[in-house]
Amino acid sequence: MATENTDCEREAKKLRSSEPDLKVVLGSGDAESIQWHHSQTLASKSKYIDAMLSTPMKEKDEYIISFPDIDPETWQKMMKYIENLVAARQMNARDALDVALFYDKYEFVEGGKLCDQVIVDYFKSINILEKNFTLD
């Protein structure tokens, strides 16, 4: 059964100048969840979403985009890291691995770059630890 954000939750995302106009459907079947976002904000962060909303496709006409392969928890992580600079600085390698595939698949370019940097930094730190603990 689909869960949908209440009017209060939708109101919380409302800007004084506009309210969320893009219905984002996450997951599928009984695990389906509906969230509302500002189309221009998501389009500015994802080339994929921008293309869907700027070309003659049903998504442009209906302002509904479905991501059946993304569960709501993963989507929340994705949005947290691209919308909040403090959270982005605190991303760990596990979270980067959780969201990197979807950032890449749906062309959230800045999110992908962030994941790449977090993963590279992680492996650099592992390399430093290994050098410090060799028994030569």
Side-chain angles (χ1 to χ4, degrees):
M1 172 172 258
T3 59
E4 188 164 345
N5 285 353
T6 65
D7 288 337
C8 290
E9 290 169 326
R10 190 172 180 186
E11 187 70 22
K13 289 186 177 184
K14 185 176 180 180
L15 297 173
R16 284 189 271 177
S17 59
S18 68
E19 62 182 63
D21 59 343
L22 180 64
K23 185 177 185 177
V24 176
V25 181
L26 304 167
S28 60
D30 289 343
E32 189 175 274
S33 174
I34 296 170
Q35 297 185 14
W36 290 91
H37 292 273
H38 293 93
S39 58
Q40 291 180 342
T41 301
L42 284 185
S44 73
K45 298 186 181 304
S46 165
K47 292 179 182 181
Y48 175 87
I49 293 172
D50 186 39
M52 292 182 89
L53 297 176
S54 62
T55 57
M57 298 178 72
K58 74 174 187 162
E59 289 80 5
K60 179 182 179 181
D61 296 334
E62 298 173 4
Y63 268 71
I64 300 173
I65 296 181
S66 295
F67 297 100
D69 56 340
I70 303 178
D71 62 79
E73 182 181 332
T74 301
W75 180 261
Q76 291 299 0
K77 281 184 189 179
M78 290 172 64
M79 295 301 102
K80 175 175 84 171
Y81 293 126
I82 61 173
E83 292 174 347
N84 183 326
L85 292 176
V86 173
R89 288 187 201 111
Q90 297 170 348
M91 179 189 270
N92 61 41
R94 176 75 254 157
D95 287 341
L97 291 171
D98 287 346
V99 298
L101 171 70
F102 299 113
Y103 279 153
D104 183 54
K105 182 176 183 178
Y106 296 111
E107 300 181 90
F108 286 89
V109 176
E110 293 304 314
K113 288 178 184 177
L114 173 63
C115 290
D116 289 348
Q117 188 60 52
V118 168
I119 293 167
V120 165
D121 290 347
Y122 172 77
F123 282 112
K124 283 180 181 177
S125 70
I126 294 296
N127 189 27
I128 290 169
L129 286 172
E130 287 177 349
K131 287 180 182 178
N132 290 337
F133 289 107
T134 55
L135 301 173
D136 293 343

